[in-house]
Amino acid sequence: MRGENMRDVAIIGVGQTKFGRTDRTCVELFAEAAHQAMEDAGVTPKEIEGLWIGNCLGSHYEGIANIAPHLAWEIGAKTVPAFRLEGACSSATYAFILGWNAVASGLFDIVIVGGTERTLIAGTPYATRTFAMGDELYASNTGSTFPGVFASAATMYAKKYDIPIEKLREMMAHVSIKNHAHAARNPKAQFYKKYGDLKVEDVLSARMIAWPLTLLDCCPFTDGASAAILCSADIARRYTDEPIYVLGVGAASGGGLSRHEEYIKAISRIQSSRRALKMAGLSPDDIQVLMAHDCFTIAEILIYEQIGFFDWGKGAEAAAEGQTDIGGRIPVNPDGGLMGKGHPVGATGVAQVYSLVKQLRGEEVKGNQVTPVPEVGMTDNLGGTFASLGHIVLGRSKRRK
C-alpha cells in the first residue's frame, strides 16, 4: 500500500442515517445515507461510476447476500459496477479503501462508498453467535465471544502493567463517561440525549457482562448506514469549496487470537496504522482527532497505545486524566464512538469517516467540535478479534509528496 504514484483523492460529500432501531431494510437505509452524501457533494446518480459497500450480516438477518447491485439501482446509479465487502466490523473501511484505490489508480473519477446494516432484529442469542463468526472457528466453537476476549484483555493489561484491577476498572469507566457524553449531544447517535451525565460508579455498578466489563463498558449493536462520495482531487473543487483529502490508508490481517504473541499489543493494528501514517507522511503526533473502534472501554485504551499516541501501559491513565477528551492531547471519539453513537457493524467504518469529515470542516455539533478546527484526523476500525484492521488518514490539505 505505497501510494506514491497514485492520484490524490478527495471526499466531497458524506451522509449518515440516525443510528438506532428501525423497521427499514438495509437497502432503504443506504439509500438515505447515499442521497445525503450526493446532495452534500452536489453530484447526481448518473455521475457515480462505481459503488463499494460494507455489509456483514445481511445474509443472516435479512436474507440478502448480493446486496450491492440492488443498492446501485436503488440510488439511481443503475448499471455501475457494484461490490459488497465483508470484513466483519471493518467492512465499510475496506469498502472505502477499495473505492479510494479505484479513484487513485485512475480507473474512475467519482465513486460512492459506504456501509449498511441491521443488527437489532437478531436478538441477543443469534447476534452473539453470528458476531462470533468474525473469530476463527476454534475460538468461536469453544464459547469465545467478543466480551470475553476483551474482558481477558483487561485482566492481561492489569497484570502486565501492575495496575490493581479495581483501579483499572475506574480508569476504563472514564472512556465510557466521555463517549456517552459526546453521544448525548449527537443527533445521529443511538444514545442521543441519554447517558450524558454518567459517573464512575454508574459504570462500575451496571450489569456485569464479562468480568470485569459491565454493560456500560460495552458498545451497543445498532441499525444504520453511512456513505461518502470520493473523487479525483483535481476535480473536487468543481463540487465543493472545502474538499477533505485522503492522505493515507492502511490495512492489516491478524488471524486468530492464538496467532498473537501478546494481543494487548496487536500486531495487526500496529502495522495497519503505520501503513496509513507512512502513506500520509505523518506520525501519531500529527493526528489531531481520532475516531476509534471503542467496542469496549479497554479496547479504546489499547488503541491509544497500539497506534502510538501513548506509551505502553499509559493509556488507561491518559483516559482517566482526560487526555483523550476534547481539549486534551488527542481527542478521541468526539461523536460518541461505537459506545454512544452505536455500532452498525458493516456501516461503522464510513460512519467514522462521516464524523471525521464533519470535524475537519468545523461542522460538528456544539460541544463536540474540536477547536481550533483540526487539520488532520484518523479513523481506526477493527474487524473480528484483531483479525481485520483498517485505518484512514484525512486532512484539509493534500498529502505530502
Side-chain angles (χ1 to χ4, degrees):
M1 303 182 74
R2 299 182 184 278
E4 293 99 333
N5 301 316
M6 308 288 264
R7 296 195 298 181
D8 284 318
V9 176
I11 300 171
I12 55 174
V14 290
Q16 185 204 302
T17 66
K18 180 176 176 8
F19 287 177
R21 188 179 299 275
T22 181
D23 293 329
R24 290 180 294 163
T25 67
C26 283
V27 172
E28 292 169 323
L29 287 169
F30 181 70
E32 179 187 337
H35 282 291
Q36 286 179 20
M38 287 188 286
E39 182 178 353
D40 188 33
V43 304
T44 66
K46 291 182 179 180
E47 293 175 272
I48 302 295
E49 298 174 284
L51 180 152
W52 283 260
I53 187 74
N55 179 254
C56 182
L57 299 165
S59 58
H60 297 286
Y61 297 169
E62 287 193 329
I64 182 169
N66 188 27
I67 194 172
H70 302 289
L71 298 178
W73 277 81
E74 184 71 16
I75 69 170
K78 297 188 177 179
T79 62
V80 301
F83 309 92
R84 172 198 174 213
L85 278 296
E86 190 282 301
C89 307
S90 291
S91 298
T93 291
Y94 285 3
F96 183 101
I97 290 173
L98 292 186
W100 164 85
N101 186 67
V103 176
S105 66
L107 180 62
F108 298 129
D109 287 326
I110 302 177
V111 303
I112 188 167
V113 299
T116 186
E117 202 83 78
R118 289 179 71 198
T119 64
L120 296 175
I121 57 174
T124 299
Y126 188 41
T128 299
R129 178 68 188 96
T130 49
F131 271 54
M133 292 176 184
D135 202 350
E136 64 182 350
L137 182 64
Y138 302 109
S140 61
N141 280 354
T142 56
S144 175
T145 64
F146 290 121
V149 166
F150 283 93
S152 296
T155 59
M156 289 180 192
Y157 188 95
K159 182 175 182 180
K160 182 173 182 66
Y161 298 116
D162 196 26
I163 303 172
I165 192 65
E166 290 305 316
K167 181 178 180 181
L168 178 60
R169 291 186 67 207
E170 292 176 2
M171 291 173 163
M172 293 190 303
H174 287 278
V175 174
S176 180
I177 292 166
K178 167 180 68 72
N179 293 353
H180 281 103
H182 295 160
R185 293 190 288 267
N186 181 357
K188 298 278 190 179
Q190 178 168 346
F191 291 148
Y192 178 49
K193 294 186 177 180
K194 298 179 181 178
Y195 308 115
D197 193 27
L198 290 175
K199 304 294 189 292
V200 169
E201 184 54 37
D202 296 325
V203 180
L204 300 184
S205 62
R207 180 160 61 95
M208 189 63 66
I209 300 300
W211 188 88
L213 304 179
T214 70
L215 183 63
L216 290 174
D217 285 301
C218 309
C219 77
F221 303 155
T222 198
D223 302 337
S226 55
I229 307 294
L230 310 183
C231 77
S232 173
D234 58 9
I235 64 170
R237 290 192 180 275
R238 297 180 193 172
Y239 297 95
T240 178
D241 292 330
E242 198 167 14
I244 300 299
Y245 297 98
V246 182
L247 306 184
V249 298
S253 303
L257 287 179
S258 61
R259 300 181 186 276
H260 289 257
E261 182 176 344
E262 189 175 19
Y263 69 79
I264 60 172
K265 295 184 177 182
I267 189 65
S268 47
R269 176 174 278 121
I270 294 169
Q271 291 296 327
S272 176
S273 60
R274 284 179 180 175
R275 288 166 183 163
L277 289 166
K278 182 178 180 181
M279 185 185 293
L282 301 172
S283 75
D285 289 341
D286 295 309
I287 302 301
Q288 297 169 329
V289 59
L290 175 70
M291 304 300 169
H293 196 95
D294 59 322
C295 46
F296 301 92
T297 51
I298 186 63
E300 183 171 306
I301 288 167
L302 296 180
I303 291 166
Y304 306 159
E305 300 175 14
Q306 291 168 3
I307 296 179
F309 296 111
F310 296 96
D311 291 338
W312 298 113
K314 299 298 183 182
E317 182 179 329
E321 292 175 349
Q323 295 187 57
T324 58
D325 207 340
I326 295 171
R329 175 176 164 185
I330 171 69
V332 179
N333 290 330
D335 64 345
L338 282 64
M339 193 155 295
K341 183 175 168 181
H343 182 26
V345 190
T348 291
V350 174
Q352 293 177 320
V353 169
Y354 171 90
S355 293
L356 184 51
V357 167
K358 291 293 186 181
Q359 282 287 341
L360 297 180
R361 290 176 177 172
E363 296 175 352
E364 191 51 275
V365 298
K366 184 177 180 181
N368 286 359
Q369 178 65 52
V370 175
T371 54
V373 174
E375 292 292 325
V376 179
M378 186 177 195
T379 70
D380 166 276
N381 196 195
L382 163 71
T385 48
F386 305 103
S388 301
L389 263 295
H391 292 84
I392 301 166
V393 181
L394 303 180
R396 293 171 57 83
S397 302
K398 292 181 181 179
R399 62 188 175 132
R400 304 169 185 170
K401 293 187 178 180

